[in-house]
Amino acid sequence: MGNSSSLMLRDEEIEQISGETEFNRNQIVRLYSRFLSLDKKGQGFLEREDLMNVPELAVNPLGDRIVDAFFTLAGKDDKHLNFRQFVQVLAYFQPIDKTKRNENNDRSKKLKFAFMMYDLNRNGYITREEFKVILNSMVGANITADQLDKIADRTIEEADADQDGKISFEEFCKAMEKTDIEDKMSIRFLN
Amino acid sequence: LQMVEFKWDEVEKIYIVALWLFAASISKLVFHNKSCTRFFPESSLLIIVGLVIGYFLVISNVDHHQFSLDWHSFFLYLLPPIIFDAGYFMPNRSFFQNWDSILVFAVVGTIFNTLTIGGSLLALSYSGLFTVPFNACEILLFSSLISAVDPVAVIAVFEEIQVNDFIFVNVFGEALFNDGVTVVLYELFKQFLEVDRIMPIDVAAGTGSFFLVAVGGLVVGLLFAVFVALLTKYSHGAIVLAPVFIFLVPYLGYLTAEALSLSPIIAIAVCGMAMKQYVKGNVTTTAANSVKYFTKILAQTSETAIFMFLGLSTLAFAHKWDTLFVVATVGFCILFRTVGVVAQCALLNRFRGKKFTKVDQFILSYGGLRGAIAYGLAVSMPDSIAAKQMFVTTTIAVIFFTVFLQGSTIRPLVNYLEIELKKDRKITMAESVYSKYSDYIISGIEDIAGQKGHSSLVHDFERFNNRVLCPLLMRDHARTPNFDATKIVRAYAKIIMDEALVETSAPSRKGSRKSGAHPALGHCSCPSTDNDDHLPDCTRRGVNMDMLYAAFSKMLDDKMDALRQELKNCGSSVGADQDIFDDYMEQLKHAPSLKTLHHPALSATRSDAAMRHHAAFAARSVSRHDSRRCRTEGGLAHIATPAGLEL
């Protein structure tokens, strides 16, 4: 607790995390102090409420979806998030270094996050209804129900290659293949 | 008592001015139709016209001092409309995404160029090879005006080659803002000229004044933007007044900034950019269109006049041609621009997500065209400078060089280097939805990670805009939820319309039918595509494709006619939308290119392009705009799901 954040994070841990995620030491320390400031109850892990308490997230229309996706991607226990998992999810948003290996891997991780946001019940498919719910929660006030339906239908249809009425992760990736994901879904983490 | 007199003296001056503009416009008309615009940018053709007219005037021994451009006319009358036009039609979103690189290029780049070009020329002059001597201040004055990339020339050239948005907005944004820097430097060195000795305190004061001038201009621009937004909000009593305000107030801003020794160019550009959103929400469609048109008219007229003056004064001016100086200047300009661009891009690339590739850098350095502003500044140099004639001649030479040579070779070079041209592919629905929301995702992640990044700044501003600024400055603006979904609706409408047009106009494509792929009907993976062999679940079973197409086609034609009729009834002002677009980005997208010529329907009638635009425009009526706009969403919905194609 308090300002001595670096004491609680041992060097070996930093090394390990750095190896897994390609963050450098300064970035990890910085993220650790962020983690601690989010963990107001001092439990050593984060819960959903902790993240939802971030004030800017509350006004973000996708706020709760983001938090959900975060927890889902973190690991098996989706109620608690320890620091390592926190950093691992954030690593998805590192800029893609085209010269390094695994460019496709990084790209598909980013797409995975986006996919998670749509897939409400986490069965690995986005159905028409799920998509309508998302679209509605974000746009609802501004368009009529009819238009909402049509847009949702259209979007599903475009991506749904095997015509099973829902979009799997592969179909989603295919639909997005021409989009500039690398650019849009990357954050420069500060040192 | 004479009944009819020939009152030439009274109208002489203005008659000649009007005749010129007429001649220039006619020649523009002529050039538009020919294929010469493919090789020469429009600005170069205008210069040629100016040269021709100048030649005639010189032959007929007209007093050419009457037609020289003086500082007053240039800066107070001709320049403001052009800059205002540039600001008003600036594609704001792209601009803000690249604001860091634009500012670096505009400020650092211009200063770098000024100092290096001036320094090199000064160094060369010590060798005594130039015919007219000059001192450090004078040459720095010259190099400050020659370093400026000209927005007018840039627009003229890039419009025709249609590079991708990224390069365009960087070059254009740089061109726009470096004028502010240039003018500041110019004024600075002009003041230094009058001082005998330059002390370090003067240099410090100069640097300080630079920031003061730039920021001051920005503040003035914003203030006047707020002013005009408020005026338009409360002026719904007299509808005709609104456009008047829209022009007058920014112009007042320009003059105010000039009076306060702040940067008038930055002021009017910022004013145009900032006020657009609010003003559009406050005035009627007709008024907004008339603003658009009138801005363009003024800007085009000014631009035409400037280039013609350029051509004219080439012949009228008493030139001092110093070959070495000209060659040196041109050489240094190119050299230092390239060096400057490469260095700045290297620096920027370390901090940016979207990096400048080598090819981008090449286009950026090659696209640094000089134009009329440099010329205007050159002729308004104090006459006390001995080398003024040489400077003006060289300026003209550099302008000619960049406009003619670089302007005409840039297109083949772009093709040769296979620059990513504007992608003509259709945006899918998934992508439009996604691109809107990725901003929010990133913003959220940034918030979680505790980093204030670019996305969250944009996000914060949008929220601030919606909550505070829009209700304050716009009429009837309800507090919307955090963002505006009409873009998605518009994207949807556009996609549907595009497909409808494509389907109805393409000749019967037997090939594609066989493959079973049809965008609107979805991909069918049934083993055979004969009508009755479709699997039970497939929607195509039992459907006769030919008849379907014919029915669809007929229905669409009917609907299109109905739509056209409705739109016509709303007033011709709506039809006017197709001619001038909302910002330069849109204009680039719709400029006729070779690609659209392949598709007979899309190019055959402009009205089809207009249909698409109308569809997009019509979908806007979904939100809470005033009822004077057309409600055609009903018509649109009908087109989107024609009966019998329930999927």
Side-chain angles (χ1 to χ4, degrees):
Chain A
M1 214 101 81
N3 293 332
S4 53
S5 50
S6 44
L7 285 180
M8 295 176 70
L9 187 66
R10 296 191 306 277
D11 275 346
E12 308 96 71
E13 280 187 61
I14 299 184
E15 286 301 313
Q16 265 185 323
I17 296 179
S18 179
E20 283 169 2
T21 62
E22 300 190 17
F23 278 122
N24 67 36
R25 191 198 162 76
N26 289 336
Q27 289 170 331
I28 294 178
V29 169
R30 207 188 159 101
L31 287 174
Y32 189 68
S33 61
R34 176 69 180 167
F35 180 82
L36 288 176
S37 69
L38 288 174
D39 180 16
K40 296 210 166 57
K41 293 185 226 154
Q43 293 165 313
F45 53 80
L46 294 177
E47 293 175 329
R48 244 180 213 136
E49 293 71 39
D50 292 323
L51 284 185
M52 288 304 295
N53 277 335
V54 175
E56 293 85 0
L57 265 190
V59 290
N60 190 323
L62 301 183
D64 50 348
R65 308 291 326 128
I66 295 176
V67 173
D68 270 351
F70 219 93
F71 274 86
T72 311
L73 278 173
K76 301 150 273 191
D77 176 10
D78 61 341
K79 295 264 185 317
H80 304 276
L81 195 69
N82 66 27
F83 177 62
R84 206 178 192 132
Q85 291 163 330
F86 182 68
V87 177
Q88 274 167 353
V89 176
L90 286 178
Y92 282 24
F93 293 93
Q94 285 171 314
I96 292 185
D97 188 351
K98 291 201 166 98
T99 58
K100 292 216 177 125
R101 38 110 208 163
N102 275 339
E103 182 188 334
N104 281 328
N105 188 21
D106 296 335
R107 191 187 155 90
S108 82
K109 278 208 186 117
K110 294 185 198 286
L111 284 170
K112 189 86 181 152
F113 195 93
F115 187 78
M116 284 287 149
M117 307 242 328
Y118 288 112
D119 182 15
L120 293 166
N121 61 2
R122 307 204 214 111
N123 60 356
Y125 287 99
I126 304 176
T127 63
R128 195 162 294 187
E129 274 57 40
E130 281 174 339
F131 191 74
K132 279 191 192 155
V133 166
I134 301 277
L135 209 53
N136 187 50
S137 69
M138 295 159 203
V139 169
N142 275 342
I143 62 177
T144 65
D146 200 33
Q147 279 170 324
L148 188 80
D149 273 352
K150 291 203 197 87
I151 291 175
D153 285 345
R154 174 74 200 202
T155 315
I156 300 284
E157 198 182 298
E158 264 176 4
D160 192 9
D162 59 4
Q163 289 277 307
D164 56 359
K166 36 192 195 198
I167 302 186
S168 67
F169 184 55
E170 288 73 36
E171 287 167 342
F172 184 73
C173 288
K174 188 100 193 352
M176 289 295 159
E177 71 182 350
K178 297 219 181 80
T179 327
D180 191 9
I181 299 276
E182 292 83 357
D183 205 29
K184 287 197 154 81
M185 292 277 273
S186 297
I187 306 179
R188 286 216 103 75
F189 287 94
L190 302 171
N191 277 350
Chain B
L1 197 67
Q2 276 185 304
M3 299 267 266
V4 173
E5 293 174 44
F6 193 54
K7 291 195 196 157
W8 176 249
D9 293 330
E10 287 180 20
V11 297
E12 178 180 2
K13 265 225 147 103
I14 194 77
Y15 200 95
I16 293 181
V17 170
L19 264 183
W20 273 22
L21 290 176
F22 182 70
S25 311
I26 292 281
S27 46
K28 251 194 167 170
L29 201 64
V30 168
F31 293 140
H32 255 302
N33 288 330
K34 289 222 176 111
S35 53
C36 25
T37 43
R38 286 188 52 193
F39 299 109
F40 288 107
E42 216 170 83
S43 33
S44 56
L45 293 171
L46 279 173
I47 296 180
I48 295 179
V49 170
L51 283 171
V52 167
I53 295 185
Y55 185 63
F56 282 122
L57 284 173
V58 164
I59 290 185
S60 50
N61 281 326
V62 174
D63 174 21
H64 48 249
H65 280 299
Q66 273 190 338
F67 304 110
S68 62
L69 195 57
D70 68 327
W71 180 87
H72 259 294
S73 334
F74 180 68
F75 270 103
L76 295 182
Y77 303 126
L78 291 179
L79 193 59
I82 299 180
I83 305 294
F84 177 66
D85 167 81
Y88 193 74
F89 287 94
M90 175 77 83
N92 276 341
R93 181 156 181 97
S94 304
F95 178 78
F96 281 113
Q97 277 176 344
N98 288 293
W99 68 277
D100 51 349
S101 52
I102 290 176
L103 271 176
V104 168
F105 287 134
V107 176
V108 174
T110 312
I111 297 180
F112 173 76
N113 275 321
T114 306
L115 294 174
T116 48
I117 295 176
S120 317
L121 286 171
L122 189 66
L124 258 190
S125 79
Y126 286 142
S127 66
L129 289 170
F130 296 136
T131 49
V132 184
F134 44 75
N135 66 28
C137 264
E138 292 170 357
I139 193 64
L140 278 174
L141 189 66
F142 173 69
S143 67
S144 69
L145 64 91
I146 205 79
S147 320
V149 174
D150 190 83
V152 172
V154 162
I155 294 173
V157 168
F158 276 77
E159 201 170 58
E160 292 163 32
I161 60 176
Q162 293 196 47
V163 284
N164 58 56
D165 297 355
F166 177 60
I167 297 182
F168 175 75
V169 85
N170 274 301
V171 181
F172 183 55
E174 178 202 349
L176 196 64
F177 283 94
N178 77 6
D179 285 321
V181 179
T182 302
V183 170
V184 169
L185 285 173
Y186 182 83
E187 293 293 324
L188 196 67
F189 290 128
K190 209 155 102 172
Q191 280 179 349
F192 278 173
L193 271 181
E194 287 148 28
V195 172
D196 285 328
R197 276 183 330 145
I198 302 175
M199 323 251 282
I201 188 84
D202 293 324
V203 176
T207 323
S209 81
F210 166 71
F211 284 108
L212 180 68
V213 161
V215 173
L218 190 92
V219 168
V220 168
L222 288 174
L223 275 175
F224 276 81
V226 168
F227 190 36
V228 77
L230 285 173
L231 273 176
T232 50
K233 181 177 176 185
Y234 293 117
S235 70
H236 43 99
I239 304 175
V240 184
L241 274 183
V244 174
F245 285 139
I246 294 175
F247 288 111
L248 218 45
V249 174
Y251 190 50
L252 275 174
Y254 185 86
L255 296 172
T256 311
E258 176 68 23
L260 293 173
S261 306
L262 303 170
S263 167
I265 292 179
I266 292 183
I268 202 172
V270 166
C271 187
M273 278 170 65
M275 72 183 209
K276 183 168 167 186
Q277 195 187 72
Y278 310 115
V279 153
K280 270 170 103 161
N282 280 338
V283 300
T284 63
T285 323
T286 328
N289 280 323
S290 64
V291 167
K292 257 201 250 185
Y293 261 118
F294 201 56
T295 314
K296 281 291 178 193
I297 290 172
L298 280 177
Q300 292 274 353
T301 312
S302 292
E303 187 190 316
T304 308
I306 291 177
F307 277 114
M308 269 189 47
F309 267 119
L310 197 59
L312 185 71
S313 48
T314 316
L315 292 173
F317 190 72
H319 289 292
K320 181 104 186 69
W321 175 269
D322 180 336
T323 317
L324 182 64
F325 189 73
V326 171
V327 168
T329 309
V330 170
F332 287 139
C333 280
I334 298 180
L335 174 70
F336 287 119
R337 173 143 182 102
T338 314
V339 167
V341 164
V342 169
Q344 287 167 89
C345 285
L347 180 69
L348 283 169
N349 278 346
R350 294 222 292 190
F351 296 104
R352 279 174 62 98
K354 175 127 192 178
K355 304 199 189 297
F356 289 97
T357 64
K358 288 218 169 23
V359 172
D360 289 338
Q361 292 177 28
F362 174 74
I363 293 289
L364 278 170
S365 29
Y366 203 70
L369 305 170
R370 282 27 175 206
I373 296 185
Y375 172 67
L377 286 171
V379 290
S380 54
M381 269 199 231
D383 285 323
S384 57
I385 300 181
K388 178 175 175 179
Q389 278 183 323
M390 184 169 75
F391 288 158
V392 175
T393 308
T394 313
T395 307
I396 295 180
V398 172
I399 296 176
F400 270 50
F401 182 83
T402 55
V403 170
F404 281 96
L405 193 77
Q406 285 178 255
S408 46
T409 53
I410 200 168
R411 185 176 233 198
L413 274 171
V414 163
N415 286 332
Y416 176 68
L417 292 169
E418 290 158 22
I419 308 271
E420 218 180 279
L421 293 177
K422 300 194 71 57
K423 288 215 167 87
D424 233 359
R425 69 186 174 90
K426 300 194 171 62
I427 299 278
T428 62
M429 201 58 226
E431 282 179 31
S432 335
V433 172
Y434 180 75
S435 72
K436 181 76 184 162
Y437 298 135
S438 58
D439 283 344
Y440 290 96
I441 299 179
I442 291 299
S443 172
I445 297 293
E446 279 173 352
D447 291 328
I448 291 179
Q451 323 238 335
K452 265 293 177 200
H454 188 250
S455 282
S456 35
L457 284 174
V458 170
H459 186 191
D460 284 344
F461 177 73
E462 266 183 40
R463 253 190 307 132
F464 175 67
N465 197 25
N466 274 320
R467 286 273 166 82
V468 174
L469 292 177
C470 287
L472 192 65
L473 300 175
M474 278 168 69
R475 202 187 317 155
D476 304 335
H477 186 103
R479 296 259 165 104
T480 55
N482 290 327
F483 57 95
D484 181 21
T486 54
K487 273 208 185 105
I488 294 179
V489 177
R490 272 188 279 169
Y492 172 69
K494 189 172 190 330
I495 291 175
I496 293 296
M497 281 299 278
D498 276 353
E499 283 187 357
L501 281 172
V502 168
E503 281 310 312
T504 55
S505 51
S508 68
R509 295 176 292 172
K510 292 206 165 67
S512 64
R513 255 181 262 160
K514 275 211 164 55
S515 66
H518 180 279
L521 295 179
H523 192 80
C524 169
S525 53
C526 303
S528 144
T529 55
D530 283 345
N531 290 335
D532 290 324
D533 279 358
H534 288 277
L535 299 174
D537 280 336
C538 182
T539 50
R540 291 226 199 94
R541 184 183 170 78
V543 163
N544 183 328
M545 294 303 270
D546 284 325
M547 256 178 48
L548 199 60
Y549 279 152
F552 183 20
S553 183
K554 174 93 180 41
M555 193 162 25
L556 191 64
D557 283 340
D558 289 344
K559 281 297 168 191
M560 295 276 265
D561 285 336
L563 187 62
R564 268 178 216 147
Q565 203 52 42
E566 269 187 63
L567 289 167
K568 218 194 296 182
N569 288 342
C570 280
S572 54
S573 59
V574 179
D577 237 332
Q578 69 196 74
D579 297 329
I580 300 182
F581 297 92
D582 281 345
D583 57 49
Y584 280 112
M585 217 58 93
E586 297 274 318
Q587 200 170 320
L588 283 186
K589 283 183 198 155
H590 289 93
S593 74
L594 290 174
K595 287 187 190 145
T596 54
L597 291 175
H598 288 311
H599 203 104
L602 291 178
S603 68
T605 45
R606 285 198 75 196
S607 64
D608 282 331
M611 285 285 97
R612 265 179 283 152
H613 198 75
H614 287 316
F617 179 84
R620 254 186 262 159
S621 63
V622 167
S623 52
R624 69 270 163 224
H625 289 293
D626 67 62
S627 55
R628 275 166 283 209
R629 298 187 198 216
C630 260
R631 297 250 173 227
T632 53
E633 62 173 321
L636 198 59
H638 277 300
I639 294 177
T641 51
L645 278 181
E646 284 303 301
L647 296 166

